[in-house]
Amino acid sequence: MKIPFHRDAQKTTNNEILKVMHSESNSIELLSERLFAFLQQVPPHQPIVLVCVGTDRSTGDSLGPLVGTQLKKYAIEGLHLFGTLDHPVHAMNLSETLTTINQHFNNPYIIAVDACLGQLTSVGCIQIGQGPVKPGAGVNKELPPVGNMHITGIVNVGGFMEYFVLQNTRLSLVMNMSDIIAKSFYTALTSKLRWKTTPLVRID
């Protein structure tokens, strides 16, 4: 997969939340540029850990594990991945997973991926922002916050009967969104590796 990548992406203001409709023709480019901007601030010695939150028992909540499963196939160097369809990270094991991560990695930079509910006009949007995501907030669950940064996909409308809404979310939408997110991560992470190994050109 070859996607144009602009190396001036680190000039983007990272404090603002980027919101992109997954169906936009340049969605992968926009998302990967913002991800690259965040990743450029991570020191080479700091481990990057991706926590894809969700469960394969709910269509709407399967966004995270679908992203994790797709990224696992890429086998990206330097990426430590938690949360796939085979081994999901969900409400029952989230705290344990975070404890394991902090025991095995020194000061990890954690990226959280999760599904969320929102307004009707925002369904299908993918958001990237600084700071943690609060899994389970949409269905009134008290779970620990996750991530130095987060990427969330608005899979359906919130505000009423959230469990039912998640169960009845279209699989087609979730699959398409997970594909865009996974490709954006792949582009950003491999670009970070190329950037790190490319020697600077001296201009006299």
Side-chain angles (χ1 to χ4, degrees):
M1 177 186 63
K2 288 199 140 190
I3 298 171
F5 198 89
H6 304 297
R7 282 189 169 172
D8 60 353
Q10 61 266 33
K11 296 177 183 177
T12 307
T13 302
N14 289 336
N15 292 331
E16 299 176 1
I17 293 178
L18 175 69
K19 189 174 180 179
V20 178
M21 182 61 71
H22 80 286
S23 56
E24 289 186 21
S25 59
N26 62 340
S27 59
I28 294 176
E29 182 178 357
L30 293 172
L31 293 167
S32 60
E33 284 185 350
R34 178 59 63 90
L35 283 167
F36 181 75
F38 275 113
L39 293 171
Q40 278 299 92
Q41 300 176 26
V42 181
H45 63 273
Q46 188 174 13
I48 297 173
V49 178
L50 184 63
V51 180
C52 300
V53 183
T55 173
D56 60 339
R57 296 179 182 270
S58 169
T59 306
D61 205 23
S62 65
L63 178 69
L66 282 167
V67 172
T69 298
Q70 292 191 54
L71 283 172
K72 186 178 179 180
K73 295 176 182 177
Y74 290 133
I76 303 170
E77 179 187 347
L79 176 66
H80 306 283
L81 180 63
F82 292 81
T84 63
L85 291 174
D86 289 332
H87 303 286
V89 175
H90 45 63
M92 300 299 292
N93 65 4
L94 178 60
S95 295
E96 179 185 349
T97 300
L98 294 177
T99 299
T100 299
I101 290 170
N102 286 306
Q103 287 176 343
H104 285 79
F105 301 99
N106 180 28
N107 187 30
Y109 185 85
I110 299 176
I111 305 171
V113 180
D114 197 9
C116 66
L117 302 174
Q119 297 179 348
L120 178 61
T121 54
S122 296
V123 173
C125 284
I126 298 168
Q127 304 175 130
I128 298 178
Q130 200 164 29
V133 69
K134 190 76 189 301
V139 290
N140 298 316
K141 285 186 178 179
E142 286 296 327
L143 297 173
V146 184
N148 299 87
M149 64 161 289
H150 64 270
I151 179 163
T152 56
I154 302 174
V155 297
N156 214 327
V157 180
F160 181 70
M161 297 181 66
E162 281 83 359
Y163 280 108
F164 180 80
V165 168
L166 284 171
Q167 292 286 355
N168 288 274
T169 297
R170 290 198 63 200
L171 178 60
S172 173
L173 173 64
V174 179
M175 290 289 292
N176 288 334
M177 293 177 73
S178 67
D179 185 57
I180 295 295
I181 294 172
K183 287 177 178 176
S184 299
F185 267 117
Y186 175 80
T187 304
L189 286 163
T190 52
S191 295
K192 175 179 168 61
L193 291 172
R194 287 197 301 270
W195 177 274
K196 187 170 65 175
T197 57
T198 301
L200 295 176
V201 177
R202 180 176 177 179
I203 302 176
D204 294 317

